[in-house]
Amino acid sequence: RILGLNDLFVENAEPDFMISDRETYWSSSGDYLLYRSESTNTWGAAKAKRFRQIRQGQSTGIAHSPEGFEIWQTASPMLGKKPWREWDAESGKWITRQGSGVESRGKVRKKQAPNDKEIQTESRGEQKATQTDAH
């Protein structure tokens, strides 16, 4: 069970952060990312420090969605609730985690740091985000 995956993930569609010509999603802690894996037809989760290896196809990540899952697909709630599989280093196997997967989808606004006068400013830009839950 990888507790770091229970986090808010925010989209990054910058070309330097894309994998398989798709946007990636980064945890609020910055420790993990979600990416589209063409080779497995899944969405994968990986440690952020493995970004280059994932992008080059040299790492398989630490968790994967069910095959055919699309992160923004909401038409089929049953597919969204199918459990993800997670790499268990102790047993050396992929383990299905019941209750895991994308918990919710939505848009979030970027947080702005307070300016010199201690006044919070509001950003008008919005980004897509997903909430994951790895049980």
Side-chain angles (χ1 to χ4, degrees):
R1 178 174 171 169
I2 304 168
L3 296 177
L5 295 179
N6 294 340
D7 202 351
L8 175 71
F9 285 76
V10 178
E11 178 182 16
N12 188 332
E14 301 268 333
D16 289 343
F17 291 91
M18 294 178 84
I19 295 176
S20 301
D21 294 321
R22 290 291 305 264
E23 74 280 8
T24 53
Y25 296 85
W26 296 77
S27 65
S28 60
S29 67
D31 294 334
Y32 295 94
L33 73 130
L34 300 176
Y35 64 94
R36 179 74 182 141
S37 171
E38 284 186 3
S39 65
T40 60
N41 190 26
T42 64
W43 278 85
K47 291 182 179 180
K49 66 183 181 181
R50 302 270 185 244
F51 174 74
R52 284 192 181 97
Q53 290 95 332
I54 295 289
R55 198 170 192 197
Q56 295 169 353
Q58 298 172 343
S59 178
T60 58
I62 56 174
H64 283 272
S65 72
E67 194 172 323
F69 176 81
E70 179 49 54
I71 208 153
W72 281 98
Q73 180 181 15
T74 57
S76 175
M78 292 305 293
L79 187 57
K81 289 311 248 179
K82 275 187 158 179
W84 287 39
R85 59 191 159 99
E86 196 174 288
W87 179 253
D88 184 350
E90 196 172 293
S91 68
K93 297 188 222 179
W94 288 97
I95 295 176
T96 299
R97 297 284 186 204
Q98 295 301 320
S100 63
V102 175
E103 184 67 25
S104 63
R105 298 159 181 84
K107 294 189 177 198
V108 294
R109 289 190 178 150
K110 285 185 179 180
K111 289 183 180 177
Q112 295 290 328
N115 63 20
D116 293 339
K117 295 181 183 179
E118 299 298 321
I119 296 172
Q120 184 72 32
T121 59
E122 183 178 313
S123 172
R124 300 204 186 269
E126 291 184 343
Q127 293 181 308
K128 292 179 182 174
T130 62
Q131 178 72 40
T132 59
D133 189 14
H135 287 282

